[in-house]
Amino acid sequence: MLTQNITDELTTILSSLAQEGKEPTVALVKARLSTSVPIPALITAIKSWKASNRVPKVEVAKATVTDQDKLTQLEQQVSMLLKRVEVLEDKLNEKS
């Protein structure tokens, strides 16, 4: 399974919140993340940040298929199915 290291992103977010004078919370951090992170991992990262001003290494499963990839795959399937329908229609017309 592919993973994505988001430690740097979490560090940046937590530093930014500290500069803004805001207490880091799960909700604030989660809202600023570009990827989905499990709540227990966020809690651990925030606790570590509050205790030692550093974030432990955090990795999450990397999204393997984007919405654009899904759309492209569906378009290809529709195109293939249309070609198959045309072939079947041609065969039917030949028999008539």
Side-chain angles (χ1 to χ4, degrees), residues 16 21 24 28 32 42 53 56 59-60 62 71 81-82 88 92:
S16 173
L28 283 174
R32 295 182 184 205
L42 286 179
N53 206 27
E59 290 185 341
V60 295
K62 194 172 191 177
L71 182 61
L81 289 170
L82 285 172
L88 290 172
L92 280 174

Side-chain angles (χ1 to χ4, degrees), residues 2-63:
L2 298 174
T3 59
Q4 176 182 358
N5 186 343
I6 59 159
T7 305
D8 292 338
E9 184 179 5
L10 279 171
T11 302
T12 302
I13 291 169
L14 291 167
S15 296
S16 173
L17 287 170
Q19 288 175 352
E20 294 171 16
K22 296 180 180 178
E23 183 74 19
T25 64
V26 172
L28 283 174
V29 174
K30 191 168 183 73
R32 295 182 184 205
L33 283 167
S34 63
T35 58
S36 180
V37 178
I39 299 296
L42 286 179
I43 292 170
T44 300
I46 292 169
K47 282 183 179 179
S48 177
W49 175 261
K50 288 179 179 179
S52 63
N53 206 27
R54 75 171 206 60
V55 175
K57 184 175 181 179
V58 179
E59 290 185 341
V60 295
K62 194 172 191 177

Side-chain angles (χ1 to χ4, degrees), residues 79-89:
S79 176
M80 181 189 69
L81 289 170
L82 285 172
K83 288 177 185 175
R84 290 178 66 186
V85 168
E86 287 174 6
V87 169
L88 290 172
E89 285 177 338

